[in-house]
Amino acid sequence: MTFACTIPGDPRGKGSVRVYNGRAMKDPKTANYMARASLAMHEAHGGRPPIHEPTSVRIVAYLARPMALVPKERSRVPQPPAGAFAAPAKPDLDNLAKCLLDSLTQAGVIVDDCRVVELHMTKLYVAVGEAPRVDVRVEVAPAYGASPVGWWAR
């Protein structure tokens, strides 16, 4: 079984819970992004049952370019590439992974994010003229070792 989805908008990592006057407060921007991501994943999943098997997840996050990295015409200074390229900037990959894996669980694509046994992530700035987004692909992981089929269902 394979699942693929594109989540439009600038990617956002899972923020930490802050405590004010003894009350735990979640970041509202993170909650909003997770709700949008879960909705996009739920619509793309189409009401199929959740995946129970060990899964492999591939995530490619395309961040919006800062204005300093937009190529300028008629410049004598070396310019950044027009295509997508590595983005060594916030959000951190681990926080982005937490947010998206929790959204996969909320959307009912996978039973629990503990079922993810392989995770491949890439974080890039978008190519010129493209919109920021996240591409997510989930598939049943290949069998590892000599375990009998169905060992995870025990």
Side-chain angles (χ1 to χ4, degrees), residues 97-126:
K98 282 188 262 183
C99 185
L100 293 168
L101 292 177
D102 287 347
S103 296
L104 279 169
T105 304
Q106 281 181 355
V109 176
I110 56 177
V111 172
D112 190 3
D113 55 4
C114 73
R115 299 285 187 189
V116 176
V117 296
E118 270 186 322
L119 177 62
H120 300 276
M121 288 193 68
T122 307
K123 187 172 60 166
L124 306 169
Y125 286 123
V126 295

Side-chain angles (χ1 to χ4, degrees), residues 5-7 9-13 33 58-64 84-93 95-97 100 120-127 130-137:
C5 175
T6 297
I7 303 159
D10 215 9
R12 183 152 185 93
Y33 181 74
R58 172 80 173 134
I59 300 170
V60 182
Y62 295 93
L63 279 62
F85 62 98
K90 297 274 185 181
D92 296 348
L93 276 179
N95 293 334
L96 189 56
L100 293 168
H120 300 276
M121 288 193 68
T122 307
K123 187 172 60 166
L124 306 169
Y125 286 123
V126 295
E130 290 185 7
R133 67 188 183 282
V134 176
D135 294 334
V136 179
R137 182 176 180 83

Side-chain angles (χ1 to χ4, degrees), residues 16-32:
S16 16
V17 175
R18 309 276 184 206
V19 178
Y20 299 105
N21 296 328
R23 299 182 72 171
M25 305 292 284
K26 291 183 180 178
D27 179 20
K29 292 180 182 176
T30 300
N32 182 28

